[in-house]
Amino acid sequence: MTEPSYVVAPPPTISIGVRDSAARFPVHRIYCVGRNYEAHAVEMGHDPKRELDPPFFFLKNPDDIVEPGTPVPYPPQTADLHHEVELVVALQSGGSDIAREDALSHVYGYAVGIDLTRRDVQAAAKKTSRPWATAKAFAASAPVSEIVPAAAIGHPASGQLTASVNGEPRQKGDIADMIWSVPDIIAHLSRWFVLAPGDLIFTGTPAGVGGLERGDVVVAAIEGVGQLEVTIR
Ligand code: MN
């Protein structure tokens, strides 16, 4: 069979490095969970009893990913860029209607991510009942560390997450405090979307989110998973 030709250049495959591996993790989609830690839901002005509601989701674009060592340009159209440290789940397989008990068998590994957010744009979107795309899915909005295989570290159900800015502590939480655990998230998400190998899931952020300025250095870390340093330029 001959190679197809294209009327415009096909996009490159987006991928992330894997710890202790020459092979890379190719990225299919980026799903994100909203309000998955009670203390962050409260700081955003929401009812802490919302854990009774099902989780909700939004997306970023694969090419929003920023790899370690690459600075993030301060994005246009915002005056309030926020950091959100999050555990990122990388899927090696997928499907629909995945049972909670089977969910972890689909996980290749884990990473540390920062869900960069135009908070002012998000606040306006909430007020006007408009979608979050411009608040969440912009260029360089998804810095991610290398992926650590579950084969090496298992499936962390607890572990401290922190984010500091210029050495000053900002965010602190524990992945044990997620309202929806990783298996819960995969089970719920797979009712709405057909999950696939290469999908990433940002699992929500603990309390302490805050604004960033040009020149700031954010260090995000998750115990047992890794650390990610990002400079805003
Ligand atoms: Mn988030």
Side-chain angles (χ1 to χ4, degrees):
M1 208 177 118
T2 55
E3 281 290 302
S5 62
Y6 299 98
V7 294
V8 297
T13 299
I14 306 295
S15 65
I16 304 175
V18 175
R19 185 180 294 175
D20 297 327
S21 172
R24 295 174 63 81
F25 182 88
V27 179
H28 178 243
R29 291 185 183 166
I30 306 176
Y31 297 102
C32 306
V33 183
R35 278 175 235 148
N36 201 25
Y37 290 80
E38 194 175 299
H40 174 61
V42 170
E43 79 179 343
M44 297 303 289
H46 299 284
D47 184 348
K49 292 195 176 63
R50 75 152 292 276
E51 70 266 28
L52 301 173
D53 297 336
F56 69 93
F57 305 101
F58 58 93
L59 290 95
K60 289 176 183 272
N61 305 296
D63 58 356
D64 296 335
I65 284 174
V66 181
E67 284 213 86
T70 304
V72 166
Y74 195 97
Q77 305 282 20
T78 184
D80 197 19
L81 178 68
H82 273 208
H83 55 80
E84 298 187 354
V85 57
E86 309 202 2
L87 175 70
V88 177
V89 179
L91 298 187
Q92 61 186 352
S93 53
S96 298
D97 299 322
I98 295 169
R100 197 185 174 287
E101 308 78 63
D102 301 332
L104 292 180
S105 71
H106 296 280
V107 175
Y108 174 78
Y110 297 90
V112 180
I114 303 175
D115 168 14
L116 289 174
T117 302
R118 287 169 168 141
R119 191 70 72 202
D120 45 359
V121 175
Q122 185 193 35
K126 286 177 178 175
K127 201 181 270 182
T128 52
S129 300
R130 286 180 180 166
W132 288 9
T134 55
K136 290 288 196 178
F138 50 91
S141 63
V144 180
S145 73
E146 65 176 1
I147 291 173
V148 200
I153 61 160
H155 297 279
S158 64
Q160 196 175 75
L161 313 79
T162 55
S164 67
V165 178
N166 306 326
E168 177 192 315
R170 288 269 189 96
Q171 291 192 261
K172 192 173 169 182
D174 194 293
I175 53 182
D177 295 332
M178 291 198 291
I179 295 169
W180 299 99
S181 68
V182 171
D184 291 332
I185 291 166
I186 291 171
H188 276 278
L189 189 60
S190 70
R191 295 178 195 168
W192 295 102
F193 298 98
V194 183
L195 301 184
D199 285 345
L200 297 179
I201 308 170
F202 280 61
T203 58
T205 198
V209 299
L212 294 167
E213 305 292 339
R214 289 169 183 81
D216 282 351
V217 178
V218 186
V219 176
I222 303 176
E223 196 183 341
V225 177
Q227 184 170 305
L228 172 64
E229 181 177 313
V230 175
T231 301
I232 311 296
R233 68 164 166 75

